[in-house]
């Protein structure tokens, strides 16, 4: 038996209420939102690259002190590049003494932004080559800079190297740079 005081139960709405297509989000709206989010990122990247020279190699300040440290150790005569242009940058410099000898490593970036590494060491060549050039360096030819004859090697994948053996030291110039950059760098060593 139904009581007359009972409140009527409302009927469920036939269709759900929506606002426009897909709840109000069109592909155009999504693209605009994404563009608004990416705009500050693009502006910061442009500021970094154009105003702050963000792609320019960072030169190290301690290269001269590291070279002086190697010269003071007097383990081997130290050769450094002379007459390179301002578009060459020194990016790293280390000198380390080991039980087998000592090693000076100077990292450079050439004018084409390719890295080069100068290694000068008194460590025996048979121990030094696998460390600096990889497990299986392959001698391919020679290069003469007029005063010295360098051995040209294929080093790790994508790397070339020039090797100079002298009494008491080994000099290696290795990098991904073209042979011309390696040769001009090796020729500048004094």
């Amino acid at each position: 038996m139904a009581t007359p005081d009972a409140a009527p139960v409302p009927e469920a709405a036939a269709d759900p209420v929506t606002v426009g297509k897909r709840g109000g989000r069109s592909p155009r709206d999504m693209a605009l939102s994404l563009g608004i989010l990416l705009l500050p990122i693009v502006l910061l990247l442009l500021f970094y690259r154009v105003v702050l020279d963000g792609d320019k190699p960072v030169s190290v300040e301690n290269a001269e002190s590291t070279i002086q440290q190697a010269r003071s150790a007097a383990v081997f005569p130290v050769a450094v590049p002379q007459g390179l242009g301002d578009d060459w940058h020194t990016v790293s410099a280390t000198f380390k003494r080991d039980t087998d000898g000592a090693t000076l490593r100077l990292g450079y970036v050439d004018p084409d932004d390719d890295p080069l590494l100068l290694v000068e060491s008194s460590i025996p060549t048979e121990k030094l080559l696998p460390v600096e050039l990889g497990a299986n360096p392959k001698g391919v030819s020679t290069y003469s800079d007029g005063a010295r004859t360098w051995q040209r090697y294929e080093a790790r994948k994508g790397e070339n190297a020039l090797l100079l053996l002298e009494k008491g030291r080994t000099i290696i110039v290795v990098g991904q740079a073209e042979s011309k950059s390696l040769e001009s760098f090796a020729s500048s060593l004094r």
Side-chain angles (χ1 to χ4, degrees):
M1 215 173 184
T3 61
D5 295 336
V9 178
E11 291 184 26
D15 294 322
V17 177
T18 61
V19 180
K21 295 189 251 178
R22 295 186 192 145
R25 292 187 216 133
S26 68
R28 179 180 169 270
D29 293 337
M30 295 281 229
L32 285 172
S33 297
L34 186 60
I36 289 171
L37 291 173
L38 290 178
L39 183 64
I41 294 170
V42 170
L43 290 175
L44 285 173
L45 182 62
L46 285 172
F47 178 76
Y48 173 74
R49 294 183 87 179
V50 175
V51 176
L52 300 178
D53 286 331
D55 291 339
K56 186 177 181 180
V58 178
S59 296
V60 295
E61 301 295 326
N62 69 339
E64 274 305 313
S65 64
T66 304
I67 292 167
Q68 191 58 39
Q69 181 185 7
R71 285 184 172 145
S72 297
V75 179
F76 53 83
V78 175
V80 292
Q82 302 290 319
L84 294 177
D86 292 338
D87 46 359
W88 287 80
H89 301 280
T90 308
V91 293
S92 66
T94 60
F95 177 70
K96 183 178 177 187
R97 294 185 85 137
D98 289 326
T99 55
D100 293 335
T103 303
L104 173 66
R105 287 183 179 83
L106 300 172
Y108 292 87
V109 174
D110 75 357
D112 296 327
D113 292 331
D114 290 324
L116 291 172
L117 179 64
L118 169 64
V119 179
E120 298 179 56
S121 183
S122 62
I123 293 176
T125 307
E126 60 275 359
K127 290 183 179 182
L128 183 66
L129 286 185
V131 171
E132 302 299 336
L133 303 181
N136 299 315
K138 179 182 170 188
V140 291
S141 65
T142 60
Y143 162 70
S144 177
D145 65 6
R148 304 170 289 201
T149 300
W150 298 75
Q151 298 173 20
R152 188 182 312 272
Y153 276 82
E154 288 179 357
R156 294 176 187 94
K157 186 176 180 178
E159 290 184 339
N160 298 308
L162 294 174
L163 173 74
L164 180 65
L165 300 173
E166 293 181 335
K167 186 176 180 178
R169 79 171 168 187
T170 302
I171 300 176
I172 301 171
V173 179
V174 63
Q176 297 175 340
E178 290 183 13
S179 294
K180 295 292 181 197
S181 286
L182 290 174
E183 291 169 3
S184 64
F185 185 86
S187 297
S188 74
L189 293 174
R190 307 273 180 266

